[in-house]
Amino acid sequence: MGGTPISIECADGFVLGGHRWTPEPPDEGPLRVVIVTAATGVPATYYHRYAAFLEENGFHAITFDYRGIGASRPEHLRDMRCRWQDWGRLDFDAVVAHVRSQWPDAEIAVVGHSVGGVVPLWAARSVEITRMLTVGGQYNYWRDWAPSVRRRFFWRWKVATPTLAALYGYLPAKRLGWMEDVPRGVAFECARRRRRMEDNYPRRERPGVRATAAAIDASILAVATTDDDYGTVSALRRPLDYLPDAPRIQVMIPPAALGHGSIGHFGLFHSRHRDDFWRMSLRWLDDGENPWPDLVVWSSP
């Protein structure tokens, strides 16, 4: 899969681990960089095959681990103080700054999976993004979960997650086979997520949370598969409503439209989708063309 290891220092001095893919310089056209943002508790290595695919097709690509995850995990995770919002406010902001330092004139796009589609909404430098593709992009509000799994997800996120995080000082998700271990503050915020994104924070911070998101004017294509129990129609729409100045399109893809029987929340970044979803995503990243015009369920005026 290649990729060159990189380190990215955040404004508070924390150093993130990541990778960079750099293609041969294109003969013409602007230099294009895609930042791939991960789901909660998913190491960036999960997206390396997709990043390598982007490189093969002329894009520079950046992957990185949020603080507390993968290559950005400290030696003692239980000592880490970190909010979910910090993954955007500090981590993603630093990645955009890193891109600008390396390629000052680049066009910056984002491919964000799950909460990775929301993380840029918490970052002041997201105003520098020109285009976003979110895949199952949502922030874990429980009423948005598919009814068939709501009871099971409620037990995992609302009961087990905060209980285990309080007991261990972090969420020991890896030993449970859920995902990577997660810092305590992130686990608590995931568990307590309310209908309005800003309601998780002190009242004095809420106007700033809304204003940071509202400043983004990048074109956004929000997609999910119809069998994604997290990325339902209402779940994808919820963060999009924070972006009044961004052209937004929401698409729901039946697995059969990609030639598969089932896909779910994590499947689209598996290499078996190289010749369907991955290939089609290039049309959006290249020139902003929605590859699924017949599957649009909502778009901004």
Side-chain angles (χ1 to χ4, degrees):
M1 292 180 287
T4 302
I6 57 174
S7 297
I8 300 172
E9 185 172 353
C10 301
D12 64 345
F14 191 89
V15 178
L16 305 173
H19 283 78
R20 179 180 67 203
W21 282 260
T22 307
E24 293 298 322
D27 293 332
E28 58 184 23
L31 189 149
R32 302 168 301 173
V33 179
V34 177
I35 303 171
V36 182
T37 50
T40 299
V42 177
T45 52
Y46 186 70
Y47 307 94
H48 281 191
R49 290 181 176 85
Y50 182 70
F53 172 81
L54 292 174
E55 179 191 40
E56 293 170 12
N57 287 275
F59 291 91
H60 295 250
I62 298 283
T63 66
F64 70 100
D65 283 303
Y66 308 120
R67 60 185 62 203
I69 307 296
S72 302
R73 176 174 176 151
E75 183 177 357
H76 301 292
L77 188 58
R78 64 170 42 89
D79 296 332
M80 186 173 210
R81 298 294 178 263
C82 170
R83 296 190 300 179
W84 217 9
Q85 186 194 31
D86 293 334
W87 288 357
R89 184 178 65 88
L90 294 169
D91 297 356
F92 183 77
D93 219 57
V95 176
V96 175
H98 172 81
V99 170
R100 277 285 173 249
S101 70
Q102 299 297 307
W103 305 290
D105 299 321
E107 292 184 359
I108 302 175
V110 173
V111 175
H113 180 211
S114 193
V115 80
V118 181
V119 159
L121 276 61
W122 300 327
R125 296 197 70 149
S126 290
V127 294
E128 301 178 47
I129 299 167
T130 58
R131 192 168 294 133
M132 286 179 59
L133 171 65
T134 70
V135 182
Q138 47 78 45
Y139 56 73
N140 212 38
Y141 177 57
W142 72 275
R143 290 187 182 275
D144 290 331
W145 300 331
S148 61
V149 299
R150 193 171 292 160
R151 179 175 296 181
R152 174 163 55 90
F153 283 6
F154 193 95
W155 180 89
R156 172 184 289 192
W157 289 106
K158 295 288 189 178
V159 180
T161 289
T163 301
L164 291 169
L167 180 63
Y168 287 91
Y170 65 96
L171 178 61
K174 192 169 185 177
R175 72 183 67 181
L176 299 172
W178 291 358
M179 53 191 179
E180 292 293 301
D181 297 339
V182 173
R184 177 172 53 187
V186 173
F188 285 160
E189 194 173 330
C190 289
R192 298 167 181 168
R193 179 57 61 180
R194 302 176 183 177
R195 181 178 64 87
R196 295 290 301 174
M197 180 173 66
E198 67 273 20
D199 288 348
N200 272 68
Y201 310 111
R203 290 186 181 277
R204 67 181 182 278
E205 295 182 19
R206 295 175 188 178
V209 171
R210 292 191 295 266
T212 299
I216 298 171
D217 60 3
S219 299
I220 299 173
L221 177 62
V223 307
T225 59
T226 54
D227 66 338
D228 183 342
D229 293 329
Y230 287 104
T232 61
V233 171
S234 61
L236 265 66
R237 177 67 185 276
R238 201 168 296 281
L240 294 179
D241 286 342
Y242 284 87
L243 305 165
D245 293 333
R248 293 151 289 162
I249 303 171
Q250 184 178 348
V251 167
M252 299 299 291
I253 306 173
L258 298 177
H260 297 269
S262 63
I263 296 175
H265 189 59
F266 293 95
L268 288 175
F269 289 99
H270 193 283
S271 57
R272 64 176 170 267
H273 291 288
R274 178 187 180 92
D275 293 327
D276 47 76
F277 179 77
W278 293 11
R279 185 69 57 189
M280 297 173 84
S281 72
L282 295 176
R283 292 161 61 180
W284 176 257
L285 297 173
D286 270 328
D287 56 19
E289 177 190 355
N290 172 20
W292 306 282
D294 297 335
L295 301 178
V296 173
V297 297
W298 178 84
S299 62
S300 59

